[in-house]
Amino acid sequence: MDYRYGSHTVFNIQYHFVFVTNYRYQVLKGDVGLRARELIRETCQAFEIEILKGVVSKDHIHLFVSAPSNMAPSEIMRRVKGRSSTKLFESFPDLKKRYWGRNFWARGYFCVTSGKVTEEMIKEYLDHHFEPKVDDSFRTEY
């Protein structure tokens, strides 16, 4: 497994995000799509979020990332969507006419975790994790 390391942590946290343009306008093509991809890459790099795979479609973006353990999915989306929205409006002033409310991205997003350790693997490990002379008062079965 490819674990990442922090100053006091070892982790492997992966998220699959999908987020859409406001009103599902198909504006992520050509230069706008390329600039959005560039901005998302810059933002992720600044916050040590590793992009494992990404796809820019006409009206939505898929991101599969490995994130630091101290960063919540909502924080990742806030940073990625917020910074890219502001910079896209600066780079392409014509977008302001279409998005008069200054909201380039739709409000919500889809997020699902991904990992290589399954629930069954964890339960199996815990079932067979015995140490000599351990106080079993902490051990409970769920």
Side-chain angles (χ1 to χ4, degrees):
M1 276 189 200
D2 297 329
Y3 290 113
R4 294 179 62 187
Y5 298 89
S7 58
H8 300 283
T9 58
V10 178
F11 58 91
N12 182 13
I13 302 171
Q14 298 174 340
Y15 299 111
H16 175 206
F17 291 106
V18 182
F19 50 104
V20 301
T21 59
N22 212 2
Y23 313 114
R24 295 294 294 243
Y25 288 149
Q26 297 185 358
V27 295
L28 295 174
K29 46 191 171 186
D31 291 339
V32 177
L34 291 174
R35 182 70 175 139
R37 182 175 64 181
E38 179 183 318
L39 290 168
I40 291 168
R41 282 181 177 167
E42 288 173 6
T43 304
C44 288
Q45 185 176 19
F47 294 101
E48 297 178 3
I49 300 165
E50 184 181 334
I51 299 175
L52 303 174
K53 184 78 174 168
V55 176
V56 177
S57 296
K58 293 177 185 176
D59 64 351
H60 67 282
I61 291 182
H62 288 264
L63 272 182
F64 184 45
V65 300
S66 173
S69 61
N70 64 345
M71 192 169 264
S74 59
E75 180 71 7
I76 294 169
M77 279 290 92
R78 184 182 72 81
R79 292 179 186 269
V80 167
K81 289 169 65 174
R83 185 171 187 276
S84 62
S85 176
T86 302
K87 298 287 187 179
L88 283 170
F89 283 131
E90 288 175 7
S91 299
F92 302 97
D94 288 345
L95 289 174
K96 292 178 188 174
K97 296 174 186 170
R98 176 164 270 189
Y99 296 104
W100 52 270
R102 306 268 309 169
N103 295 318
F104 184 80
W105 302 109
R107 193 178 268 185
Y109 59 91
F110 169 81
C111 177
V112 66
T113 58
S114 172
K116 296 177 178 148
V117 179
T118 65
E119 183 179 338
E120 289 80 28
M121 291 169 76
I122 294 169
K123 287 180 180 177
E124 180 73 22
Y125 174 78
L126 292 175
D127 284 342
H128 296 94
H129 184 76
F130 295 107
E131 294 181 11
K133 297 183 182 179
V134 173
D135 180 16
D136 278 349
S137 62
F138 185 74
R139 179 181 283 274
T140 58
E141 297 295 324
Y142 294 99

